Amino acid sequence: MIEGNEYKEIYEAEGAEERFGDNLARLIQMVKNWAPQKNPTRWCKAWWTADITELRRVYTSGARWVRCDGSGVEERNKAKKAYKSAIDKAKRKHWNNFLASATKNDVWTAHQFTKQRQPVRILGGYNDSPDETSQKIMEHYFPPSEDPISPRLPLRKELADSDCVTAGEVSETLEKYSNKSAPGPDQVPYGVWKNIHRMEGKIIPKLAEAMLEWGIHPPMLKESTGIILPKPRKKDYTDCASFRVIALMQTFSKIVKRIINKRLMAIAYKEDMYCINQTGSLPQRSTVDAALSLKHWIREPQFAGKKTSTVFLDVKGGFDNVNHSKPLDLLGTDEKVPRYLLGR
């Protein structure tokens, strides 16, 4: 199944994560060896033209003569002025063309180009070394858990035929992801996984089934690339709390996560396990539903001649401080939840 070496079946609990990681790593390496990669240069700009390249050549040539013997200062200055002027005109023309053909979604891109630039910010404050800055950032965003989940040996739960991951299930999952989404540390975009699945529809289901069957999530799939972005209108940008982190996860990890999440949601709908007032993280429900429900609850007592107050609560760091063992214990006591979806 994987060129050069066959797929390594997982037969023993000891080393199951390592064997799975080896299978996935060899597949990713094969993709990187054969798939063409774009390596844009620093001159790869949308507004750059061949005329600007020629003007740059003339300017750098004149500047070189001035450095050598001091001659041609006037010619160099003229070439420099023409070079800078051509860049300004090309940028202005590109910007006008962008605005003329802009779509509804391009409004936010235009906003990013026109908003006022923020001063230089040093996350975590001034430190003696980059290592100290890195340590402060990690301690703030990723504090050690007070109740960590102890590691356990994988336990195999053989999948029934109805529980196996199908090619159609993977295709439906891949359709939800954009080819333009930024990949994680593996640098494998969703478009590559779509092509792999189109060419050989057994690869992704085979890997996903191994994770479900053994209840594993290998360490290599837990790696992510963190992008630190500033929050708007904060007073102190040396404070880590003035920034937020966007984690770019491994694309294969997100594919399997969506498959599992869809199965869990199907069980929750069928068995009526979710709160009727919940609108977040549910299919076919959105913020509009929450707003309409709130409006209804406010209007109903008002029509009865009563006064209404609304209280909004925001749990700071709610998701970051969830004790994962608690929801796992609740799911584990429910016989309606398949065993292969637990213990990961």
Side-chain angles (χ1 to χ4, degrees):
M1 188 169 108
I2 299 176
E3 187 173 326
N5 291 298
E6 292 297 325
Y7 175 83
K8 295 182 179 180
E9 293 286 354
I10 304 175
Y11 297 109
E12 297 179 358
E14 187 174 356
E17 292 188 342
E18 291 76 6
R19 188 171 288 258
F20 175 90
D22 184 54
N23 284 328
L24 183 60
R26 286 186 293 122
L27 175 61
I28 292 176
Q29 188 59 47
M30 184 185 71
V31 169
K32 291 183 177 180
N33 291 339
W34 288 95
Q37 296 185 8
K38 291 183 178 180
N39 296 313
T41 67
R42 56 178 177 167
W43 306 116
C44 185
K45 301 180 183 295
W47 47 265
W48 195 271
T49 64
D51 293 336
I52 297 178
T53 301
E54 178 61 21
L55 290 173
R56 184 186 63 188
R57 185 193 66 79
V58 174
Y59 165 60
T60 54
S61 177
R64 195 178 300 114
W65 280 110
V66 172
R67 289 195 300 269
C68 289
D69 54 15
S71 62
V73 175
E74 185 176 352
E75 289 78 4
R76 180 206 59 184
N77 292 340
K78 289 182 179 179
K80 180 180 180 180
K81 185 177 180 180
Y83 173 52
K84 299 295 183 182
S85 177
I87 290 178
D88 293 338
K89 289 180 180 178
K91 287 183 176 181
R92 193 177 305 112
K93 181 180 178 181
H94 176 72
W95 176 249
N96 292 334
N97 292 338
F98 170 76
L99 293 179
S101 59
T103 61
K104 179 175 63 175
N105 294 332
D106 292 331
V107 173
W108 300 109
T109 304
H111 173 68
Q112 292 295 324
F113 287 143
T114 57
K115 71 178 183 179
Q116 183 180 4
R117 299 299 176 184
Q118 298 293 338
V120 178
R121 299 158 175 172
I122 301 179
L123 182 60
Y126 291 89
N127 299 294
D128 295 333
S129 67
D131 292 336
E132 289 187 16
T133 302
S134 176
Q135 184 178 356
K136 281 189 176 181
I137 294 173
M138 294 299 293
E139 289 176 353
H140 177 81
Y141 291 110
F142 307 101
S145 176
E146 297 180 358
D147 187 18
I149 300 177
S150 57
R152 60 170 184 79
L153 198 65
L155 180 61
R156 185 175 188 178
K157 301 180 181 69
E158 196 162 343
L159 300 180
D161 293 340
S162 59
D163 296 331
C164 292
V165 180
T166 64
E169 195 174 8
V170 174
S171 299
E172 188 177 348
T173 299
L174 289 172
E175 288 178 0
K176 302 295 183 180
Y177 291 110
S178 171
N179 294 346
K180 297 181 180 180
S181 296
D186 58 358
Q187 292 299 300
V188 179
Y190 292 107
V192 172
W193 290 115
K194 292 178 182 179
N195 288 329
I196 290 175
H197 188 61
R198 177 177 54 83
M199 296 172 63
E200 179 51 69
K202 297 180 181 180
I203 294 180
I204 298 179
K206 183 75 172 178
L207 291 170
E209 285 176 2
M211 294 177 61
L212 295 177
E213 189 172 353
W214 286 93
I216 58 175
H217 198 84
M220 67 172 299
L221 292 182
K222 298 178 183 179
E223 297 177 358
S224 63
T225 301
I227 308 298
I228 301 177
L229 300 176
K231 297 178 182 178
R233 296 181 295 276
K234 294 294 182 179
K235 294 182 179 180
D236 183 12
Y237 281 101
T238 62
D239 185 5
C240 292
S242 300
F243 295 79
R244 60 190 178 96
V245 178
I246 294 179
L248 303 179
M249 299 172 57
Q250 306 270 20
T251 48
F252 184 82
S253 177
K254 295 185 71 174
I255 292 170
V256 178
K257 183 185 76 171
R258 185 180 283 269
I259 292 174
I260 297 175
N261 181 68
K262 187 175 181 180
R263 293 189 176 193
L264 286 173
M265 291 309 305
I267 297 172
Y269 267 103
K270 182 179 179 180
E271 305 296 339
D272 196 21
M273 298 171 63
Y274 64 91
C275 178
I276 191 63
N277 296 324
Q278 180 180 344
T279 57
S281 303
L282 288 177
Q284 301 177 353
R285 292 198 178 191
S286 64
T287 308
V288 176
D289 297 297
L292 292 175
S293 298
L294 177 61
K295 182 179 179 181
H296 169 74
W297 293 329
I298 293 175
R299 292 291 189 184
E300 188 176 20
Q302 285 182 341
F303 287 143
K306 300 178 181 179
K307 295 185 179 295
T308 306
S309 299
T310 304
V311 178
F312 295 93
L313 299 178
D314 181 17
V315 181
K316 183 178 180 181
F319 287 101
D320 299 333
N321 296 286
V322 169
N323 187 342
H324 294 86
S325 60
K326 298 299 183 182
L328 286 176
D329 292 340
L330 291 174
L331 291 174
T333 57
D334 197 322
E335 296 180 355
K336 300 171 184 176
V337 181
R339 300 301 94 185
Y340 71 86
L341 290 176
L342 303 176
R344 58 198 64 264

